Amino acid sequence: MLDAGKSTERLHSGNLSSGEDGGVVQKKKGGIRPIWYWIAGVFVILAIAGAVVGALVAKDVIHVGSGKSAAAVGDTVGDTTETAGSPSETSSPPVESSDGSDSSVDTPSSSSTSGTGTPTSSTTSEKSTSKPTATAACTTSDEIPSKEKGTWMDTTSWLDMTGFNCTFTDATVGGLPIVGLKSTWDDSKQANANVPALNKPWGSYASKPFRGVSLGGWLSLEPFITPSLFPDTSLVDEYSLCKKLGPKEAAKTLEKHYSTFITEDDFKAIAAAGLDHVRIPFSYWAVKTYDDDPYVQGISWRYLLRGIEWARAHGLRVKLDLHGAPGSQNGWNHSGRQGTLDWLEGPHGALNAQRTLDIHVQLAKFFSQDRYKNIIAFYGLINEPALALSQSDLILWTEKAFKVVKDNGFSGTQVFSESMRGLEPWQGTLTGYGDKLAIDVHQYTIFDNALTGLKHTERVNFACKAWTQASISGMNPASGFGPTMVGEWSQADTDCTKYLNGVGNGARWTGTFSGTTTPYCPTGDSKCSCDLANADASSYSKEYKLFLLTWAQAQMSAFEKTWGWFYWTWKTESAPQWSYQAGLAGGFMPPLAYQRSWDCSKTVPDFGSLPEFY
Ligand SMILES: *[C@@H]1O[C@H](CO)[C@@H](O)[C@H](O)[C@H]1NC(C)=O
Ligand SMILES: *[C@@H]1O[C@H](CO)[C@@H](O)[C@H](O)[C@H]1NC(C)=O
């Protein structure tokens, strides 16, 4: 984030206690004094101390007789410094309890660490409630308030406690629970030696592009990423899955998936691969559900929060990505519900667009807490709204969304989607945001009949020429939007992956895609086969691996002419050309993303006898 350094300094300079001590007590050197001198001295000291305490109480710096003091001290320090330093920045919103009333629970920002893991305020000592110690045992079932018992807020019902704080709290920020979060955090990690630690500013993305990966299919399901969750073809998306399973079973199935599909080891491996950012897609039901939605509400929220903490532990910056919006913004299975587009347009389009803004109010409040200032590099407003939507309506909605997110405290960079239009149509639109608004383009060759059939060398050249050019011209406000990132791309050179085009649908490559019979593989005839593309990566030939590696590195070179890239995706159950992890394991991804064996300035290698049709 651009102002990362500043907010760290604020925490350092905002150490109230040292200033306080220094002002009140001063040791005096000297000889023996008469007793009246000491008595008078004690009175003077008591009077000064009383006046200071009185003044602080009056200024609301110290709260008398409640557990609120630590939070109040933290917030006030933040406010004071901000007012002096940068008046435009808003402070963290106060913590509310879930019934909307003021809460006496500490905000997570109150005892923030200054990069060393040491709390700066006296949080722990002032929290002298009924709980014996700060490191008390987990909240037990009989301690959970009755209205939360058995709900997803009930910590005693959580499947997986790894890395979570198991002390129950009903405190919320923006109406979103903080339960599970620890009170302190450490922003001193660096993803690798070439990039700054989280508590140092990244600098200009235009001159130092990021390298990242998405955690697709984790908090927003996609059949092709985890086909095992979609065992029969009546299950086509998260909606139909949840409906079939019913609330209880759906919650169980999904929580098991959240807790096992992505673990801390994944974040560790992502950093070890020389990547420095992660994009985390999640859907609106992490926050709330509406009407008769079958989605599992809330459980993915805590896994999102834990994921961010794990990213932090490994120095990875985060792009939040609202992947599914109420009503579905594109009618695609990965938005939650396939087949209907009811967002911005459609019977409830206006309502659902407004609901999405309301969700952004909550999310923006939550993610503008101090603890997120250094780590949320990008805030994605909505993933891939349909091409069918009117661009001018999308622009109006994006303007509103930007304002809502900014006005609710998020001061970092927001990101909107080119919505399958490409970059040129956005030239001259949504101007005046500087580096605070970036456009996200997704680059694939396999969802387009004309590009699907490129031969291997042609495909590599396409990335090096067409996409390099698109990146450069997209970044130039005279020909594109300006700040640009490639939010998705993959190594797939066919659309053969099972369920990629939707459960029950075939592939353009072989002419089995719904509504078409023309095979689009390079030979365009009955030779077109998905066998090799869908084979286990261990059976890939040396030549095919060399092609996949070159193809990936060509795209990386092209996309690094923008602010950076996110590969889609980190992990799949059985689609190696969509899995960064499988590419690393199979030797067809560069072991370190920042240290590559080939780039577009070199000649495309000879792929030998590799067939063009499989
Ligand atoms: C766990 O959560 C409670 C309630 O929010 C908080 O008071 C406590 O400080 C947290 N513990 C740790 C280790 O951060
Ligand atoms: C399902 O999702 C995939 C991408 O994951 C997409 O290519 C496909 O078109 C979707 N299917 C339908 C019918 O929306």
Side-chain angles (χ1 to χ4, degrees), residues 157-276:
S157 74
W158 295 5
L159 173 68
D160 173 4
M161 295 312 293
T162 316
F164 282 122
N165 178 347
C166 59
T167 304
F168 174 80
T169 170
D170 64 359
T172 60
V173 176
L176 290 166
I178 65 165
V179 64
L181 284 176
K182 294 180 181 152
S183 308
T184 59
W185 64 92
D186 176 1
D187 282 345
S188 64
K189 281 281 165 19
Q190 241 176 314
N192 64 65
N194 302 301
V195 297
L198 297 174
N199 57 14
K200 304 267 166 34
W202 180 271
S204 153
Y205 278 102
S207 51
K208 188 180 181 58
F210 68 85
R211 302 182 175 108
V213 71
S214 289
L215 301 178
W218 180 37
L219 306 178
S220 303
L221 297 187
E222 287 192 40
F224 96 87
I225 298 176
T226 56
S228 71
L229 288 173
F230 298 86
D232 73 73
T233 49
S234 72
L235 305 172
V236 298
D237 52 24
E238 193 160 340
Y239 186 96
S240 54
L241 178 66
C242 292
K243 213 164 168 102
K244 169 102 178 262
L245 294 177
K248 248 190 144 137
E249 220 26 57
K252 243 173 86 182
T253 303
L254 286 179
E255 185 167 10
K256 179 145 180 272
H257 166 70
Y258 299 148
S259 89
T260 53
F261 188 62
I262 297 290
T263 67
E264 184 175 8
D265 284 346
D266 292 292
F267 291 87
K268 198 172 158 191
I270 289 168
L275 299 164
D276 43 58

Side-chain angles (χ1 to χ4, degrees), residues 221-225 236-237 330-335 337-339 384 447 499-503 505 508 513-514 568 578:
L221 297 187
E222 287 192 40
F224 96 87
I225 298 176
V236 298
D237 52 24
N330 51 31
W332 286 342
N333 43 38
H334 51 72
S335 73
R337 188 170 189 184
Q338 181 171 316
E384 295 187 349
F447 299 121
Y499 295 168
L500 178 66
N501 294 314
V503 175
N505 198 354
R508 293 166 185 83
F513 184 76
S514 74
W568 186 267
W578 293 89

Side-chain angles (χ1 to χ4, degrees), residues 11 17 29 61 74 219 295 330 335 411 462 502 517 563 574 597 599:
L11 294 175
S17 47
K29 288 184 197 146
V61 173
L219 306 178
Y295 300 118
N330 51 31
S335 73
S411 57
F462 183 83
T517 50
W563 275 15
S574 53
S597 57
D599 67 48

Side-chain angles (χ1 to χ4, degrees), residues 8 21 28 56 78 92 110 174 181 199 282 290 312 322 432 444 522:
T8 316
D21 298 344
K28 285 196 174 106
L56 292 176
S92 308
S110 65
L181 284 176
N199 57 14
F282 63 98
Y290 300 94
R312 191 195 310 274
L322 184 64
Y444 295 109

